[in-house]
């Protein structure tokens, strides 16, 4: 594919009339709108987000209804004319001065993440949930995770484009893309950034509601990328439990119990189902 730009910066925005104005002013002051393709995906906003965005020399794409953070990124990627795509939040948290470093690093890495440092603004009520998600993610990919859900990140467009069918439409696009690139063995580069407190409205992320969604997402991601991580330990546990249950019964009454036999068979079946799910997952990712 022949690209018209080296870089496209994609900014998803939903009811961000305050944040988007400041974000686009910073990009304009640094002349990024003349150097790269800047795309604002207005995700069905009911405020003046679209109107304000059109006052700047950027490309504005409108969703007629609110589809979600991930869906907005997908739209931006599909419409982007740049060889590399970079995601930036529209709420003023990300400093555009980080973009040159990210663009340069994308020459050496397939994916680059701006990793939030200790001085970055963090919502304390989400720290426990994030730690839990990080532990599960590290179990999935068997290695330490970078800042898996930082919104400031860049990709080679052709690589992320080929993965769009497995990416969610919600806020967990960032987490899924991190795990997907790690699982596929791509090189991920990181560099430290300081993130500010969001501007304008308060965040729409709810601890319990979106925490439950994230747990569901992680289960889905594990099933998508490595289902044996779930099936294998479960099958080992049930088979081992069934064996010792039956053995105990044999020692006491000289008969291997039916319960033990059934549990061993169930354990083996779960393992075989896991193997089948693993093959389906491999085919699904291609």
């Amino acid at each position: 594919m022949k690209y018209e730009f080296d870089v496209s910066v994609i900014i998803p925005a939903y009811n961000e009339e305050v944040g988007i104005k400041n974000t686009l002013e910073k990009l304009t002051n640094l002349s990024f709108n003349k150097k790269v393709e800047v795309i604002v995906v207005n995700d069905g906003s009911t405020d003046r987000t679209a109107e304000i965005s059109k006052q700047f020399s950027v490309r504005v794409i409108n969703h007629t209804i609110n589809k979600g953070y991930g869906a907005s990124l997908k739209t931006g990627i599909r419409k982007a004319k740049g060889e590399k795509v970079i995601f930036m939040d529209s709420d003023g948290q990300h400093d555009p001065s980080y973009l040159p470093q990210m663009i340069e690093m994308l020459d050496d890495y397939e994916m680059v993440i701006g990793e939030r440092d200790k001085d970055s603004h963090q919502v304390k009520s989400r720290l426990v949930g994030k730690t839990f998600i990080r532990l599960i993610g590290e179990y999935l990919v068997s290695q330490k995770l970078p800042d898996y859900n930082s919104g400031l990140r860049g990709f080679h467009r052709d690589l992320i484009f080929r993965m769009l069918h497995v990416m969610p439409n919600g806020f967990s696009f960032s987490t899924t893309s991190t795990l997907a690139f790690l699982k596929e063995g791509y090189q991920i580069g990181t560099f430290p950034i300081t993130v500010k407190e969001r501007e304008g409205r308060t965040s729409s992320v709810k601890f319990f509601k979106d925490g439950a969604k994230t747990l569901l997402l992680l289960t889905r991601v594990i099933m998508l990328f490595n289902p044996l991580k779930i099936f294998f330990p479960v099958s080992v546990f049930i088979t081992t439990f069934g064996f010792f249950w039956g053995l105990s019964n044999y020692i006491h009454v000289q008969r291997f119990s039916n319960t033990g036999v059934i549990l061993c068979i169930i354990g083996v079946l779960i393992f075989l189902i896991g193997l089948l799910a693993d093959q389906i997952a491999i085919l699904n990712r291609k």
Side-chain angles (χ1 to χ4, degrees):
M1 179 177 177
K2 188 176 180 179
Y3 294 102
E4 295 183 25
F5 297 90
D6 290 333
V7 178
S8 295
V9 176
I10 300 169
I11 307 173
Y14 173 65
N15 287 346
E16 296 286 2
E17 60 184 2
V18 176
I20 194 65
K21 182 174 185 293
N22 295 335
T23 298
L24 294 179
E25 280 180 348
K26 292 175 184 173
L27 282 167
T28 302
N29 291 338
L30 293 170
S31 300
F32 277 111
N33 57 330
K34 297 178 181 176
K35 303 173 186 173
V36 303
E37 179 187 37
V38 178
I39 301 174
V40 176
V41 182
N42 171 41
D43 190 24
S45 299
T46 54
D47 64 1
R48 298 174 63 238
T49 297
E51 178 187 338
I52 291 171
S53 299
K54 290 176 181 175
Q55 294 172 2
F56 295 85
S57 179
V58 300
R59 191 176 169 197
V60 181
I61 300 172
N62 292 304
H63 285 171
T64 53
I65 59 172
N66 179 235
K67 296 182 179 181
Y69 176 75
S72 300
L73 294 176
K74 289 180 181 179
T75 297
I77 293 167
R78 292 187 180 109
K79 300 292 185 183
K81 299 176 182 177
E83 184 179 2
K84 302 163 186 168
V85 293
I86 293 175
F87 303 160
M88 260 187 78
D89 286 354
S90 55
D91 53 14
Q93 291 193 84
H94 297 148
D95 188 342
S97 65
Y98 290 122
L99 293 182
Q101 184 175 356
M102 177 165 283
I103 293 169
E104 185 179 347
M105 290 182 69
L106 281 170
D107 289 335
D108 300 318
Y109 298 94
E110 284 91 2
M111 177 180 184
V112 176
I113 298 174
E115 199 158 26
R116 289 164 289 189
D117 62 18
K118 60 181 176 57
D119 296 323
S120 294
H121 174 74
Q122 292 264 22
V123 181
K124 290 184 171 53
S125 60
R126 299 178 193 163
L127 291 178
V128 174
K130 287 181 177 180
T131 301
F132 182 61
I133 293 169
R134 174 183 289 278
L135 291 175
I136 293 179
E138 290 176 349
Y139 168 72
L140 168 64
V141 296
S142 303
Q143 62 179 285
K144 289 288 184 183
L145 282 179
D147 193 347
Y148 61 90
N149 66 348
S150 170
L152 184 64
R153 57 184 55 218
F155 309 83
H156 288 238
R157 181 187 176 275
D158 59 336
L159 296 181
I160 189 65
F161 186 85
R162 290 203 294 266
M163 294 182 180
L164 288 187
H165 65 291
V166 299
M167 294 297 153
N169 288 335
F171 71 94
S172 50
F173 186 108
S174 301
T175 305
T176 306
S177 62
T178 305
L179 297 176
F181 270 64
L182 283 172
K183 190 62 186 171
E184 294 301 318
Y186 289 122
Q187 290 288 324
I188 298 180
T190 63
F191 67 99
I193 62 171
T194 301
V195 171
K196 302 173 183 174
E197 189 173 0
R198 66 173 288 120
E199 299 170 348
R201 66 177 177 84
T202 56
S203 172
S204 59
V205 176
K206 306 298 182 187
F207 181 79
F208 289 106
K209 180 182 176 184
D210 292 302
K213 285 182 179 178
T214 302
L215 286 176
L216 183 61
L217 161 81
L218 284 171
T219 304
R220 175 179 171 270
V221 168
I222 293 174
M223 290 298 293
L224 180 62
F225 293 106
N226 199 347
L228 282 175
K229 284 281 188 179
I230 293 179
F231 283 95
F232 183 68
V234 171
S235 71
V236 168
F237 174 78
I238 293 178
T239 303
T240 304
F241 183 76
F243 175 76
F244 282 104
W245 181 277
L247 182 63
S248 174
N249 197 69
Y250 184 82
I251 291 173
H252 289 92
V253 297
Q254 284 74 53
R255 179 175 174 273
F256 201 91
S257 70
N258 291 337
T259 301
V261 172
I262 291 172
L263 287 173
C264 288
I265 292 174
I266 290 174
V268 172
L269 286 175
I270 289 175
F271 176 67
L272 294 175
I273 292 171
L275 285 178
L276 180 62
D278 188 60
Q279 294 303 306
I280 293 173
I282 292 172
L283 292 173
N284 191 41
R285 295 204 302 271
K286 292 183 176 178

